[in-house]
Amino acid sequence: MNNPVVTAINDPLVRSVDTLLDAVAGDELPPTAGHLQPLSEGSEQWLDELADGLCSHGWVTLDVRERMGTGLLQALAAEVGILHRTDAMKKAGIGRGNDLMRDRSVRRDKIAWLQGITTPQAALFEFLDALREGLNRRLFLGLKRFETHYATYQPGDFYKKHLDSFQGRASRVVSLVLYLNENWQAADGGALQVFNQENDNEVCGLVLPELGRMALFLSEEIPHEVLPANRTRYSLACWFRQDEVPLPL
């Protein structure tokens, strides 16, 4: 899965800056964390491939290690690992506002919303914003902002088949998942299973959560699920949105 392959998620919890800084303070991030590589020059063809995949098939997956830089990926992996070890992750829920539920029969991951306040997060936000602008130029999606969180799946955790946005809401438009696990094997489970947008009983792709693997898909159209993990699994989820500000809770 080293070459680009094109194949035919919950309200933010209010987390203070101090809480997140305290969670990562005292733990050492990789030395490359201070020299992170943003979206590099020569990205136009890469962005064209992403746009073509979304337009033609509704989803795309590719390896972004060269595009983002191994240093950034390792720093993000180290950061989510620290949050996990310090119990800073919160149980994820389903729905919005007063309808938010934490149904363990549907999903069992834990999450921590990002605010761009650490060095790795700042570099990530620069990458995501460049991606947002690139998709807007190509697909005229009117994406105005994004929201993103870390996710941890412990052994046995899963997230059953779902869509990331309700039809017609025009809020979450494009979903992105970035995986942060070194030396992940198929036997470790935790793969992203993607279903055909025309027939949600037909599996059309399986993505291993290996370091630097990224998947993008249309939030309202592509059903997907996370299969049970057999070891601790780290990822980062992001949604590009058309609304200006978060909906009131």
Side-chain angles (χ1 to χ4, degrees):
M1 300 180 74
N2 289 330
N3 296 318
V5 178
V6 177
T7 316
I9 343 203
N10 323 324
D11 289 306
L13 300 174
V14 178
R15 295 178 51 78
S16 70
V17 170
D18 288 342
T19 299
L20 186 53
L21 287 176
D22 288 345
V24 298
D27 287 82
E28 224 177 283
L29 294 176
T32 49
H35 307 280
L36 301 175
Q37 175 183 329
L39 190 63
S40 61
E41 296 180 2
S43 299
E44 295 304 308
Q45 181 178 352
W46 179 75
L47 289 167
D48 289 343
E49 292 171 357
L50 288 182
D52 288 345
L54 287 175
C55 188
S56 300
H57 307 294
W59 81 288
V60 60
T61 177
L62 70 166
D63 189 326
V64 295
R65 284 176 294 182
E66 290 187 8
R67 189 63 54 188
M68 295 187 68
T70 302
L72 174 53
L73 293 168
Q74 290 177 338
L76 293 169
E79 189 168 275
V80 65
I82 292 167
L83 293 171
H84 174 62
R85 292 193 300 273
T86 55
D87 293 324
M89 313 286 282
K90 303 296 183 182
K91 289 181 180 178
I94 304 161
R96 299 189 67 88
N98 293 331
D99 297 324
L100 181 66
M101 300 182 298
R102 291 184 172 83
D103 188 343
R104 298 280 289 168
S105 70
V106 176
R107 65 181 301 186
R108 295 190 176 182
D109 57 318
K110 291 184 177 182
I111 63 173
W113 290 89
L114 280 65
Q115 299 174 346
I117 59 175
T118 66
T119 300
Q121 290 182 27
L124 171 71
F125 277 33
E126 182 178 346
F127 173 85
L128 293 174
D129 203 49
L131 180 54
R132 179 189 63 80
E133 292 179 354
L135 291 176
N136 276 342
R137 289 197 304 272
R138 289 159 176 79
L139 301 178
F140 307 101
L141 293 175
L143 304 174
K144 295 182 173 64
R145 63 186 182 94
F146 59 83
E147 57 187 6
T148 180
H149 68 55
Y150 288 126
T152 298
Y153 289 76
Q154 298 187 78
D157 288 351
F158 56 84
Y159 193 167
K160 289 188 176 180
K161 181 166 63 177
H162 63 284
L163 292 169
D164 279 358
S165 184
F166 295 113
Q167 289 285 343
R169 288 293 298 274
S171 52
R172 290 178 173 177
V173 178
V174 177
S175 301
L176 178 152
V177 186
L178 175 65
Y179 298 105
L180 302 170
N181 309 286
E182 301 235 35
N183 304 315
W184 195 272
Q185 305 297 320
D188 295 325
L192 175 71
Q193 187 161 261
V194 183
F195 295 87
N196 191 322
Q197 59 184 322
E198 304 297 334
N199 177 6
D200 65 6
N201 291 315
E202 178 186 339
V203 176
C204 63
L206 198 67
V207 182
L208 289 183
E210 54 194 359
L211 183 75
R213 174 62 48 179
M214 187 177 77
L216 277 86
F217 48 91
L218 299 178
S219 305
E220 292 186 351
E221 299 182 18
I222 302 298
H224 56 285
E225 70 175 313
V226 178
L227 299 178
N230 296 324
R231 56 176 270 209
T232 300
R233 169 196 187 274
Y234 298 135
S235 61
L236 184 151
C238 171
W239 296 273
F240 296 95
R241 306 179 61 116
Q242 290 178 335
D243 50 358
E244 293 278 2
V245 295
L247 293 174
L249 299 180

